[in-house]
Amino acid sequence: MQTATIHGIEMGYRAEGDGAPLLLVHGFPLSGAMWQPQISALSARYRVIAPDLRGFGASTFGGGADSLDQYADDLLALLDHLDVRKVALAGLSMGGYIAFALLRRAADRVSALVLADTKAAADSDEARQKREQNARMVETRGLEPLADQMLPNLLADRTPQGQQQVVRGIIMANQPEGIAAALRAMAQRPDSTPQLSAINVPTLIMVGSEDTLTPPGEARKLHEAIKGSQFVELSGAAHLSNIEAPAAFNAAVDSFLGGNSTRAYGAGSQSSGRW
Ligand code: MLT
């Protein structure tokens, strides 16, 4: 783990490999640690950069983010710090929402886009209320009840216990105030649907066939709206498709980005609790 001072916070990030840069933006309520199966495999071909957003993982809170734009600005400043002008940008779920924010601010910094298990729509009023309830729950009771509530939706039931424990550990390593801020920032995000037709970089859309949080129907809407986009459904995976189907996920990203590797992309044992 490396750190950089970015907009007054200490930002933790992983940067491995030497090829074309690939920025991985994590989902909620995880951290850059969720990308370990991609860092391990894809750093052989790409310079994989996987930061922890402010208030997540190793990154300090610094007052949090009042909107997803703050996370996007932090990512752009991290790229400046690393002397990276253009990246392939991949976001899973909340990471996808942040990718839309980054595109609104600096589309010229993005050479290709991977949208995994995400959607363009804003929250409904009901979803906003639920986020505020969860933010208060986390502020008063910590992260455990949120982990209990979310884990069954993040991973398919058959996901091995060891892997479930790894994901729980990633959630529990976050800072409650960072998680509460992210919930409020997601609740305020705009509908990104109107910007989809203007996306003019190669785009890959992926979704777990059993994702109930951002279901395949939402991914298909992205595919229909983004000109020339590719669509891959990962069979048997739920929301965290990069963890549940790492070999297929990595192969799809590599083939999309032009590596077209013939070697197998595995993620080691699925049941040991380690990747
Ligand atoms: C995520 O995985 O980032 C979240 O499920 C996104 C959300 O809560 O909308």
Side-chain angles (χ1 to χ4, degrees), residues 26-30 92-95 97 117 119 123 131 150 154 183 186 189 213-214 239-240:
H26 64 79
F28 176 90
L30 293 131
L92 184 138
S93 200
M94 177 182 74
Y97 312 158
D117 300 276
K119 61 183 176 189
D123 279 358
R131 291 212 201 266
M150 287 202 71
L154 294 174
L183 282 161
M186 281 194 285
R189 76 186 189 283
L213 289 176
T214 47
H239 190 57
L240 298 182

Side-chain angles (χ1 to χ4, degrees), residues 158-217:
R158 65 176 161 279
T159 303
Q161 269 305 313
Q163 225 169 7
Q164 305 224 16
Q165 287 311 318
V166 172
V167 172
R168 178 179 283 276
I170 295 174
I171 296 174
M172 294 304 295
N174 286 319
Q175 299 149 61
E177 63 271 32
I179 293 296
L183 282 161
R184 294 184 174 118
M186 281 194 285
Q188 285 174 34
R189 76 186 189 283
D191 182 5
S192 295
T193 308
Q195 84 188 74
L196 299 179
S197 62
I199 293 176
N200 61 5
V201 290
T203 300
L204 169 66
I205 293 158
M206 285 200 283
V207 66
S209 61
E210 293 173 34
D211 188 345
T212 53
L213 289 176
T214 47

Side-chain angles (χ1 to χ4, degrees), residues 44-106:
R45 284 179 170 275
Y46 306 93
R47 181 178 183 193
V48 183
I49 304 163
D52 294 343
L53 298 167
R54 61 172 63 211
F56 289 80
S59 293
T60 56
F61 174 59
D66 48 14
S67 85
L68 297 183
D69 293 342
Q70 176 72 65
Y71 298 126
D73 285 343
D74 291 344
L75 293 172
L76 288 165
L78 177 67
L79 294 182
D80 291 343
H81 170 82
L82 295 172
D83 244 341
V84 172
R85 175 69 205 155
K86 265 193 157 178
V87 282
L89 172 63
L92 184 138
S93 200
M94 177 182 74
Y97 312 158
I98 294 168
F100 293 132
L102 193 150
L103 283 170
R104 283 193 286 273
R105 301 173 101 62

